[in-house]
Each structure stands twice: as structure tokens, then as C-alpha cells.
Amino acid sequence: MIAIGILGYGSRAPSAETLALLANHPEVCALLIVWNAPNTEVSAILHRLNQAAPKTVIIENTENLGSAGGYKCLIEHFRNYEHSEYLFLLDDDLQPKPDCIDKLLHAAHSLSSPLDNTLLLAYRPKLPEMHDLVSKKIGICRPKPGACVAFHFMNLIKQHREPVDYCENELAFSIESATWGGLLIPRAALPRLGLPREDFFLYAEDSELTYRFTQNGGKIFLVPDAEITDTEPAWNTVGGNISNLR
């Protein structure tokens, strides 16, 4: 069984379509939703959702704890769901394709790497970092010198790249770090993974934590067939345009 962990922020309302898709999946036993500093309208939506969906657990943070604090909260709450073998993490603007969870679980059961030493990552075609990982197939995608994560002028130029059509029959390939969005964490891997550094607050704490995981002997596998759609693409999205900067 799998628990879904979703992190949201402020006034952006959760997607009813995405939540329904996830809640109806036969392998999903819980929807854990952490919302940083929701406004009154979003708080009311979350309250109604909690009443309507028995699988849903809502955690509202009165202040914005950033992505580091928010995902730390999700991981800590997941520990209470001992019957859930996996935690699947999502940002509030991500929508997995209907077969995404099945493809990730299939990979987890098919790979020879033990679950206490393994993380899996779904593929987000619009994310520049993942575009580079899949197109180059080298498993390494580090920030450019002088850049704040992906905020570099060269990424603005590169945003006109077309998404990669990954058509090779490769179940998964090893990478050195991962994003929060689309990360599948086996319960057995939690002791090795640990928790994110809250002093990073908003950026790079996912890369730092997962890089530390692989440097300590862990394995992370990107599963290209398990796709997620960014419903609100980043400013430097692949195939995007200058309007994404606003």
C-alpha cells in the first residue's frame, strides 16, 4: 500500500481532479496533505475535503515553513502509517498520469536494489533538469556555477528545447539526486534517507538530502515511463516561452 504526500502553499487551491485520481487508486491507503499558511478560502476547501474523503488527513501550518519544513512534516506523519509501504511525494501543482503509480511500483518490485537502499523518481518531461537527465542519460544534473538552483540565464535560452520522447526499453536508470515532486520513498529507506535540512527552507534541500543519500551508498532510480504533468510549469519549462517568467 502507498500513502500520497502533497505539499501546498497559501492561496492556491488543491486540484479536485488530481485528488480524486489519487484517492481512487486501489493501492492508495492515505492522502496526507500539508498546507503552508492557507488562507481562509483554501482552509475551508481542505476542511470539506477532509470530511468527504475518509482517506484524507489534513495538516495546516499557520506559517509558511517552506518546502523543507513542509516535506519534513509529511515524512514525519507518514511514519504513523505503518501499513503503508511507500510514500509518494507531490507538489500541489503536479498531476500524475493514471498509470504513474503502477509504473513506479512495478519498477520498485523489479529492480534488484533492496528497498532499504532505494528511492524512485517519476519523470516530469517539462522540468529542465529531468530533460537533461533523460536526454544525456548520465544520471548527473548539477546547478551551474553562479546559479541559484536552476535560476541561470542559460536556462532561459534553453527553454525552447522540445521535450524528449524517451522510447528506449529501459525500466529505470540511476541518478545521483532527486526532486521532491514525484519521489517514491519506501518505508524501509527512511532511516538511511533521514530528514531535510530546514535551514535550506525553500530551495535545494531535496537535492541536498537525496545527494547525501546516494553518497552514503543509496540508489535513486528515475523511471521514465512513470510520468507527471506540471500543471503550472516553471519559468524555464521545456518547450515554454518568455511568458513563464511572469
Side-chain angles (χ1 to χ4, degrees), residues 21-183:
L21 172 70
L22 296 169
N24 291 328
H25 192 284
E27 291 291 333
V28 172
C29 62
L31 287 178
L32 309 179
I33 302 177
V34 169
W35 219 269
N36 281 334
N39 64 13
T40 303
E41 181 180 354
V42 170
S43 185
I45 293 172
L46 294 173
H47 180 70
R48 290 195 296 270
L49 179 64
N50 197 27
Q51 291 181 319
K55 291 183 179 181
T56 304
V57 176
I58 307 293
I59 304 104
E60 295 185 38
N61 294 322
T62 56
E63 59 182 302
N64 188 352
L65 302 180
S67 53
Y71 280 109
K72 178 184 177 183
C73 185
L74 278 169
I75 293 171
E76 289 177 332
H77 274 80
F78 170 68
R79 288 173 172 165
N80 296 325
Y81 289 83
E82 296 182 357
H83 54 293
S84 301
E85 188 179 0
Y86 299 94
L87 173 63
F88 185 38
L89 295 177
L90 295 169
D91 297 330
D92 60 347
D93 60 346
L94 298 182
Q95 185 173 56
K97 289 195 172 181
D99 62 354
C100 178
I101 292 175
D102 295 326
K103 294 287 181 67
L104 286 171
L105 292 176
H106 172 69
H109 298 151
S110 301
L111 293 168
S112 59
S113 181
L115 290 180
D116 63 354
N117 198 44
T118 303
L119 306 177
L120 296 99
L121 185 66
Y123 178 44
R124 295 162 60 187
K126 292 286 188 179
L127 198 66
E129 295 87 341
M130 289 198 188
H131 178 283
D132 290 342
L133 285 171
V134 170
S135 61
K136 297 175 183 177
K137 302 182 184 66
I138 57 174
I140 299 172
C141 185
R142 298 174 183 169
K144 297 178 176 61
C148 174
V149 196
F151 295 95
H152 191 280
F153 78 96
M154 285 301 295
N155 283 342
L156 179 61
I157 296 172
K158 288 182 177 181
Q159 69 176 325
H160 298 289
R161 294 169 293 186
E162 291 301 318
V164 172
D165 181 14
Y166 192 92
C167 57
E168 294 185 13
N169 292 321
E170 188 170 358
L171 176 65
F173 61 92
S174 181
I175 58 178
E176 70 169 7
S177 62
T179 60
W180 287 128
L183 187 64

Side-chain angles (χ1 to χ4, degrees), residues 201-243:
F201 187 68
L202 191 57
Y203 285 116
E205 81 285 347
D206 48 2
S207 298
E208 190 277 333
L209 178 67
T210 53
Y211 180 75
R212 190 165 11 114
F213 179 81
T214 57
Q215 292 306 293
N216 288 330
K219 298 286 186 182
I220 305 175
F221 293 96
L222 176 62
V223 184
D225 281 343
E227 285 198 23
I228 290 178
T229 299
D230 284 75
T231 59
E232 294 187 14
W235 67 273
N236 58 347
T237 185
V238 175
N241 55 56
I242 197 73
S243 64

